[in-house]
Amino acid sequence: MKTIGLIGGMSWESTMTYYQIINTTVKEMLGGLHSGKILLNSVDFYEIEKHQSKGEWDICATMMIDAARSLEAAGADFIVICTNTMHKVVPQIQENIAIPILHIADAVSQELKQHGITKAALLGTKYTLTETFYIEKLVKAGIEILIPEPQDIEIINRVIFEELCLGIVSPDSKKEYLRIIGQLETQGAQSVILGCTEIGLMIKQEDTSLPVFDTARIHAEKAARSGCTS
């Protein structure tokens, strides 16, 4: 079994989801008392978000590089970043380590293609929705991506940082998210991608008629399968 190096803490609520899903998946695959071989470097999200909001991505990259290097030195065979947004700095991280990074957008693209999805709604932070680092990977995989209106992107982003990352699940915010998903469905979305690892804490499959693709779950399951592959 390979050792999975997790960079977590962004936020720690969704990192718990990764830990649980990886171990559950490994147990299902191998049976018995098996669990995942995991190393976790949990960063202080306060420091990360402070630099995100100022556009200081080079500083964010340096922090991620340090975390990845520490996991590599400790014996990790590959890296899993437990958040969508920080995949913006994956190229810089990969240049500074020898072990591979399991990219969340690649895992999501593969999952969508397996289900025959060619047009999907995407929810996430304003960085994920307005920059190319994430969407372009989905588009290159042949998936058309629909994003919310600018004012709705601000609503989604505010709820993520001011509520979900603090463990707050508001019924009113959930209604807003479902309204936005409904609008994207009328534009032809065949599914909805929860492109922030915290959104799955609030939006479930039973909340919408569209197939829901939870990136945290998809990424964690992919990590577990990769960890069990020789």
Side-chain angles (χ1 to χ4, degrees):
M1 190 184 298
K2 294 179 181 177
T3 299
I4 305 168
L6 299 181
I7 303 179
M10 302 168 285
S11 64
W12 64 261
E13 283 88 355
S14 61
T15 302
M16 288 196 303
T17 300
Y18 272 81
Y19 187 78
Q20 181 180 39
I21 291 173
I22 289 171
N23 282 297
T24 300
T25 304
V26 168
K27 182 178 179 180
E28 290 172 352
M29 292 181 67
L30 302 180
L33 296 176
H34 281 290
S35 57
K37 293 180 65 177
I38 299 170
L39 296 171
L40 171 62
N41 187 322
S42 188
V43 301
D44 182 357
F45 192 34
Y46 171 83
E47 295 294 331
I48 296 290
E49 195 281 328
K50 178 175 66 176
H51 296 298
Q52 283 180 347
S53 63
K54 295 178 181 178
E56 297 171 341
W57 292 101
D58 287 344
I59 297 176
C60 291
T62 297
M63 296 170 74
M64 292 291 100
I65 290 166
D66 289 344
R69 281 174 168 169
S70 71
L71 291 170
E72 181 177 32
D77 292 299
F78 62 94
I79 299 294
V80 174
I81 304 170
C82 304
T83 173
N84 286 270
T85 298
M86 289 309 293
H87 280 73
K88 176 179 171 66
V89 296
V90 160
Q92 295 97 306
I93 302 170
Q94 190 64 82
E95 288 175 358
N96 286 275
I97 58 174
I99 58 176
I101 299 170
L102 186 63
H103 201 293
I104 193 168
D106 289 336
V108 172
S109 296
Q110 292 168 9
E111 188 76 11
L112 290 170
K113 291 175 72 174
Q114 288 174 7
H115 286 81
I117 301 296
T118 58
K119 192 173 186 178
L122 177 64
L123 306 185
T125 67
K126 63 183 179 182
Y127 312 111
T128 300
L129 296 179
T130 61
E131 300 188 32
T132 61
F133 70 93
Y134 192 91
I135 293 176
E136 69 179 6
K137 279 188 168 289
L138 299 171
V139 172
K140 286 181 180 179
I143 302 160
E144 182 181 351
I145 297 300
L146 301 175
I147 64 171
E149 296 294 328
Q151 64 272 20
D152 287 335
I153 290 176
E154 291 301 321
I155 291 171
I156 293 168
N157 192 73
R158 179 189 61 77
V159 171
I160 290 169
F161 285 101
E162 296 181 12
E163 298 178 15
L164 296 178
C165 285
L166 298 174
I168 300 169
V169 179
S170 163
D172 289 339
S173 295
K174 183 172 183 175
K175 288 179 182 178
E176 282 291 274
Y177 270 51
L178 292 176
R179 174 187 62 79
I180 295 166
I181 292 171
Q183 288 182 346
L184 294 170
E185 183 176 12
T186 64
Q187 296 175 30
Q190 300 168 326
S191 66
V192 57
I193 302 168
L194 307 185
C196 172
T197 51
E198 282 79 25
I199 298 178
L201 302 173
M202 181 170 67
I203 300 298
K204 309 295 183 183
Q205 182 58 73
E206 57 266 25
D207 296 319
T208 175
S209 59
L210 285 181
V212 172
F213 290 85
D214 184 340
T215 55
R217 176 169 293 278
I218 292 167
H219 200 203
E221 289 177 348
K222 179 71 173 179
R225 291 193 296 270
S226 298
C228 293
T229 302
S230 62

